[in-house]
Amino acid sequence: MTTAAPLINNTQFSANVTTESQEQSLYQSSGAIVAAIVVGVIVIFTVVLLILKTYNRRMRAKRELEPKPTKTAMPPALGQNSNSLSQQPTVTFIPVDIHMQNR
């Protein structure tokens, strides 16, 4: 007498394996895509930082090499705007009667 061995459904087992491997590959590929995006953003920020640093150095060197304007000898008076600097201030002297007492 032979006993019949139970039949294993191979199609269902292979379908589960392919589904798990597809999910696993999707997770791995999405992780790789996220990692690539993060690395790309870091590279872009590094390039922008280096460009700004070199620009800052050039502008600082340019400012330091430019001749500085000389300041005026007389600073403007308080309360006057720049338009009145071209006019010379006039001072009027009114003599006052001084009565000195003789001792």
Side-chain angles (χ1 to χ4, degrees):
M1 254 188 13
T2 30
T3 48
L7 294 174
I8 300 174
N9 192 354
N10 288 337
T11 57
Q12 185 180 9
F13 179 71
S14 65
N16 285 341
V17 170
T18 56
T19 305
E20 287 179 11
S21 65
Q22 284 177 349
E23 287 179 5
Q24 187 178 10
S25 66
L26 283 175
Y27 282 125
Q28 287 175 351
S29 64
S30 65
I33 290 171
V34 169
I37 290 172
V38 168
V39 169
V41 167
I42 290 173
V43 167
I44 290 171
F45 279 144
T46 305
V47 168
V48 169
L49 180 70
L50 290 174
I51 289 172
L52 288 174
K53 259 181 111 170
T54 55
Y55 176 77
N56 190 17
R57 275 190 202 146
R58 288 182 185 171
M59 287 297 113
R60 180 185 293 169
K62 184 178 177 183
R63 274 181 283 163
E64 289 176 355
L65 292 175
E66 284 180 351
K68 295 180 181 176
T70 58
K71 294 186 178 181
T72 58
M74 188 171 65
L78 296 175
Q80 293 180 349
N81 57 13
S82 61
N83 293 337
S84 65
L85 289 177
S86 62
Q87 300 173 351
Q88 293 292 331
T90 56
V91 177
T92 55
F93 180 73
I94 300 172
V96 179
D97 290 332
I98 300 175
H99 299 288
M100 296 192 65
Q101 296 178 353
N102 291 335
R103 288 187 177 192

